[in-house]
Amino acid sequence: MEKSYIRFYALREMRARPRTFLPLFAIFFGVMLLMGNLLIYAQCQLTSDIAYYKVETQLILPDLTEEEVFLLRQMDFVRQAEAVETDRYTYTCYVELTEDVNTRVYAISDSLLEIIDRLGLDDRSDPYIHFLYWYHDQQTGPSEAIDRSRLFNGRYMNALRDGMFQPATISLACIAALMLFAVVVLVYRMKIEQAAKEYACLVGMGMSLRDLGKIQYLQGFLLLTAAFVPSQLLAIGTMKIVSLLSFRLYPEFDGNQALLFSVPWSTLGILYLLYLCAMLLGTRLCLAPYRTKSISAILSGSADKIPYVAKSSVKFLSRGNFDRYGNVWKQRNRRNVLPVMVLFFCLILFPAFLFGAFLGGIFDVRDALTDTGSRAVVQLHAYGISGDGYKGVPYTVIRELASLPDVDDVRFSYDYKVKGMTTLADQAGGYTPVNTSGGAVDCQQYMVTSFAGERPDTGEVWVCPDFPAEVGDTVTLRQNGKTVDMVIGKKHPGLTMRIPAYDKTRRIYEIAFDETLYPALYGEAPVMLSGYISICSSVPDGEIPALLQKIAVLTGDTKVYLNDHDRFLHGTIERSYLLENSFYQNRIGTIHSAFLCLFFLVQTLYLMLCAASVIGSTISFQLHRRRAEFAVLRALGLENTAIHALAASYTGLLFRWVIPVLYPVLVLFLYFGNPDAGIRTNDFGEKVIGALPTLYYGLGAYAVTCTVLYLLYGGTARYTSARSAGQMLSVPLAVSVKERE
Amino acid sequence: MTDNIILRCEGVNKLYKQGEETIYALRDVSMTVRRGEFLVLYGRSGSGKSTLLNVLSGFDTPTAGKVHIDGQDMEGMNDRQRAKLRNEKIGFVFQSYHLLPILTARENILSPLLIGKRPIDEGYFRDLCETLGITSRLEHLPSELSGGECQRVAVARAMIGRPAVLFADEPTGNLDKRSAGELIRLLKQAHEVYGQTIVMVTHDETLLEYGDRVYRMENGTPVLV
Ligand SMILES: Nc1ncnc2c1ncn2[C@@H]1O[C@H](COP(=O)(O)OP(=O)(O)O)[C@@H](O)[C@H]1O
Ligand SMILES: [Mg+2]
């Protein structure tokens, strides 16, 4: 104890007051664990994506002229540009970038833009344009851009999208630090207020204010570190397990779906520093008011801020007008509204949002895992980029695919417009449009060789149950100026209607027909099919690789790629057909997101429990401090119920003040925070509407918390005022450590 | 002669503002305390005794006027210098003890030395505890001590650093008659044995006989009796 009194006192205080320090530790631990996990998860995704680009990035640029290829080769960031003649005088160019560019995601993106710029490729083909729009102007949703740009570098797009997560990561870290700051300010304020007389005593004995501050900093530092190290180890450990699990379960998937694990030391370091700053700043802020107060004022208690009550309102009790007193009480409470609001937002609402999000995630995952109707869907990508036009998959091969024993269903899809008509041709003009706006219905049309074991009869079309016409009605399909009339034979539940994200007013209906329609629309029998061919199978997980192998053998020229990365980097160059096991991929993604969801769910729950305990102890401290006042009121003849009401009035105030402030904050929060309703949609109103369910969820959580708070206040007041007035009025400083807590 | 004066205040005023109202707690106080003296401040409740003591000890700042402790003026000092002055020149005994509840009696007593990083005089410490009769209670927490024992620990704490002046604000206020008598005798003994300068505040007329000099506070002004 001789060594350093500061250290001695700081440690002694921590040991002597577990009820003050343990909740603080618990909440530090909770905040850090949750934030650490989110950050580490994000970072792992990012590093595993970027890791690929360190290996190789290839840009694929179709339709270049010889001159352009020449120019391309002159560019200083282009290491190699392989040109393959696709047509007479046009080339598809496979560009590899120099090493210094190749290792940085943003540099890759810059060089691609530069190529587009210098060669004037903007108007050349779809992918570029969309990529460009996305890059220059965030208005085009990234998801859409990624879809359209898949052809030349889907994986690269993913990395970019995740790269965009970096700002989100940083803001998440800032939120974490802010939460910590709020906790420190609120709890330290309470803690310092509680021990103010002791500190004044120390200062009276000759301790400088700086040294007093050091005691607080040291305690904060110890708590912070004690919470940080195990929480981050736990977070890292969890991530490691998730990563291991994803590798172990599906060893044939590497890197892409399985999460590449690495400990983001720098992120953790920055996070720790942020926490430390928040703690220092918070402590300083809490100590600040005591700097200007005299020792005697703190010791005598006259430094406790009880607002000056004007003489007129002091007469309240003598006149039997209790409302006045209630008003004074409310005036006092009002000063506490803002900090408590911050505490609420940080510790209750924010975790509640996360909780809601993860809960939703769990339900999705459960649905996906227990969905018995789900089948393995293997997609055969048949876009050819060499030769004249699309190369496609020969129709004979598709037939053979359908006849494989494990394959239930083979369909090839293409978008069509269907002119809706009914057979009630006696109406004016002969035809009545099915829909009112021009008579055309968008359809995603499947030509099927097999559909869940059946297939439509010749000349018959199957539609989804939502289709705006009835069985027996006639519909007209249009393609390339040709039309053909078909009779709706069945409303099939396996077909669906979907609303495209880019235009919510549109409806796209799925319809299915057999191959006899093809010649009627195209004028010739199908020889080759390009695009996506979905091969559905209900084989168990373990047999999927074998099935893929079978399909690969059948299609001959097809190479089986098990993940996006391989496909996008190598597939398009060497082969015309690509097999992608989409179901398989979803499944593994589902599993690791399930694990994480569950983990985050438990964490947010824990955080909310911590927050409840902190808020609970804040309340009991507040009321405990005023118990002498309660005692006097009771001695003056006030009923217990009135005192309870007084104590609980704080909640009402909170409710009245917080809702108008919190509502817009919540809307803004959701506006930026909710990815579906948020940035991707341009329309503000739509964003807000999209955010409404979450908003209601938040308000619900808030209302529940307020109610709980109300009960807590009332209960604490009951407990406090149940003691005798005499007991409550005598509270000397050093009665006992336990009593004062 | 000036050497003999350990504490001097000149023209000290202290006002409290409460809303529109101004309370004159101290009015133009000028007084001196001599080295080795037992000075008693006596007066009705609310007459400004505590306020004067707080201002003299530097626990509070006067609205106007100057206070010199052992030749040093607190005004214009920085936090560190003030702390050093308090640590070395001042001891304080409060009516409600104000012991640190998380420290044992021994740790409480030694705190001023540890805070000031000053050497511990074991002989003096033992002597002091013996004199005050708390040797057997040193390892207890304040919550485990009686009021009288608490106050004796507080006196030991105030005296351990051999301060220039020991201030005591109604040290017997919370004690029963017997403990109070015992404490005041111990204070007197300390005053005689160690030559400790003491400024004590009381409203108890029976204690006046202990003082070398007695001031009576009247409406914020001390009058020599
Ligand atoms: N912090 C304060 N704010 C306002 N008035 C105060 C404060 N402290 C003391 N007073 C007033 O100053 C006067 C002197 O108080 P005090 O020195 O405590 O009296 P004593 O110790 O002699 O009983 C009293 O009238 C008291 O009401
Ligand atoms: Mg007094």
Side-chain angles (χ1 to χ4, degrees), chain B residues 129 133-140 149:
Chain B
C129 294
I134 46 174
T135 310
S136 60
R137 320 290 295 156
L138 286 178
E139 302 312 325
H140 291 266
E149 284 166 338

Side-chain angles (χ1 to χ4, degrees), chain A residues 311-322:
Chain A
K311 274 263 160 61
S312 56
S313 60
V314 177
K315 291 185 192 136
F316 55 90
L317 275 174
S318 57
R319 279 207 254 131
N321 185 358
F322 180 67

Side-chain angles (χ1 to χ4, degrees), chain B residues 168-207:
Chain B
D169 190 353
E170 311 220 17
T172 60
N174 274 1
L175 304 179
D176 59 88
K177 244 205 173 98
R178 237 191 65 193
S179 304
E182 206 172 39
L183 186 88
I184 211 79
R185 252 182 295 110
L186 285 169
L187 267 182
K188 188 72 186 169
Q189 200 180 337
H191 165 66
E192 277 157 8
V193 173
Y194 302 111
Q196 179 67 58
T197 313
I198 296 177
V199 178
M200 185 177 84
V201 159
T202 184
H203 63 264
D204 185 351
E205 284 181 50
T206 60
L207 301 183

